[in-house]
C-alpha cells in the first residue's frame, strides 16, 4: 500500500464530501458518517506512515464527525459511538474517550440489546473503569455472536486483567483482519488491534509487539 497516496486521497475525499450536498434521498447521518470515514482513513494512513501527531489530529476530527453523525442518526445506531470511541482511543485522546464513553452510557448503551450495542457498552464501560460490568457485557456479546468472536474475548480479558487471555485474543483478532478481503474505505489496517492495545495500555497491561503489514511499525 502506498500510504502517502492513500492519505492524499483521503484528504481530498474529505474535502469533496464536506462540500457536497446530500444526494437525493440520502440520509443526512449517512452523509455525515461518510465525511467522518474520510478523516478516519487519513488518520490511519498517517499512522502507517509513522506520522503520529498528524494521525492523532485526523482521528480526533473523525471522532467529532462521527459524534455529529450519531446525533443525526436514528435511536439505536450504536455503530457511530463505537467509531467515535475507537477514533479517540487510537488517537491517544483519553479525555475525548472518557467524554464519548459517558455520552454513550447516558444514551443507554449499557442497556442496549444485541452484539453491536453491547460492543459499544463494553468499550464505554472499560474506558470509564467499570470493569465488572464490562466483563459481563463482553461475555454476553460473545454468546450473542459478535464477529470476530475474539474481540469479545479480548474485551473480557481486559476487564479481568487476564494478560495471557488478552494476548491470545488480540493475536486472533489480527489473524481475522489478515484473512479479510475488504476494509472500510479500502484502508487495510487492523484498527481493532490498535483499539484493544490502547485499552490495554490504559489498564497497565503490556502487550507484546506484533508484526503485520496491517499494523504500524
Amino acid at each position: 500500500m502506498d500510504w502517502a497516496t492513500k492519505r492524499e486521497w483521503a484528504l481530498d475525499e474529505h474535502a469533496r464530501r464536506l462540500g457536497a450536498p446530500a444526494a437525493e434521498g440520502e440520509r443526512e447521518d449517512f452523509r455525515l458518517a461518510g465525511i467522518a470515514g474520510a478523516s478516519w482513513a487519513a488518520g490511519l494512513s498517517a499512522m502507517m506512515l509513522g506520522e503520529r501527531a498528524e494521525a492523532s489530529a485526523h482521528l480526533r476530527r473523525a471522532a467529532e464527525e462521527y459524534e455529529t453523525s450519531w446525533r443525526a442518526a436514528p435511536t439505536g445506531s450504536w455503530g457511530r459511538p463505537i467509531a467515535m470511541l475507537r477514533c479517540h482511543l487510537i488517537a491517544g485522546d483519553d479525555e475525548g474517550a472518557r467524554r464519548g464513553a459517558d455520552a454513550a452510557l447516558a444514551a443507554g448503551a449499557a442497556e442496549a440489546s444485541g452484539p453491536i450495542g453491547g460492543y459499544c457498552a463494553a468499550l464505554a464501560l472499560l474506558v470509564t473503569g467499570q470493569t465488572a460490568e464490562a466483563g459481563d457485557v463482553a461475555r454476553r456479546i460473545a454468546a450473542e455472536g459478535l464477529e470476530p468472536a475474539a474481540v469479545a474475548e479480548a474485551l473480557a480479558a481486559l476487564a479481568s486483567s487476564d494478560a495471557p487471555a488478552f494476548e491470545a485474543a488480540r493475536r486472533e483478532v489480527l489473524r481475522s483482519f489478515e484473512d479479510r478481503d475488504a476494509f472500510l474505505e479500502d484502508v487495510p489496517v487492523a484498527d481493532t488491534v490498535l483499539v484493544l492495545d490502547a485499552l490495554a495500555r490504559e489498564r497497565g497491561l503490556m502487550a507484546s509487539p506484533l508484526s503485520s503489514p496491517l499494523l504500524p511499525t
Side-chain angles (χ1 to χ4, degrees):
M1 169 65 71
D2 182 343
W3 288 109
T5 298
K6 189 66 182 181
R7 176 178 58 184
E8 291 309 308
W9 170 86
L11 293 173
D12 289 346
E13 188 68 5
H14 181 268
R16 185 192 69 78
R17 294 179 187 182
L18 193 61
E24 184 177 355
E26 181 184 18
R27 275 175 38 182
E28 178 64 5
D29 61 304
F30 285 168
R31 186 185 74 84
L32 294 169
I35 294 169
S39 290
W40 172 89
L44 289 189
S45 297
M47 181 163 287
M48 295 298 283
L49 288 166
E51 302 290 346
R52 297 289 177 140
E54 180 188 347
S56 179
H58 291 316
L59 289 166
R60 287 171 187 243
R61 182 179 69 190
E64 294 174 358
E65 291 167 342
Y66 275 123
E67 182 171 8
T68 300
S69 172
W70 177 34
R71 301 303 181 188
T75 300
S77 300
W78 296 113
R80 313 302 169 76
I82 289 172
M84 173 185 69
L85 286 170
R86 286 160 57 90
C87 287
H88 281 307
L89 288 165
I90 297 173
D93 181 10
D94 295 340
E95 182 180 347
R98 285 191 294 271
R99 186 173 61 250
D102 287 340
L105 293 172
E111 294 77 40
S113 60
I116 303 303
Y119 182 23
C120 182
L123 289 175
L125 291 165
L126 283 170
V127 168
T128 56
Q130 300 178 67
T131 53
E133 295 87 344
D136 290 342
V137 172
R139 288 185 286 274
R140 171 175 67 79
I141 60 179
E144 290 177 344
L146 181 71
E147 291 291 340
V151 173
E153 294 166 5
L155 294 172
L158 285 170
S160 61
S161 295
D162 186 338
F166 174 70
E167 183 68 24
R170 71 191 273 268
R171 288 179 179 275
E172 187 57 38
V173 171
L174 176 57
R175 278 192 288 271
S176 75
F177 272 84
E178 291 174 336
D179 290 341
R180 287 188 184 184
D181 295 321
F183 294 83
L184 180 63
E185 302 288 0
D186 292 325
V187 177
V189 175
D191 57 318
T192 301
V193 176
L194 302 178
V195 171
L196 294 171
D197 285 359
L199 288 167
R201 285 192 298 272
E202 188 179 83
R203 299 190 54 73
L205 267 66
M206 299 301 294
S208 63
L210 297 175
S211 178
S212 171
L214 304 185
L215 292 173
T217 56

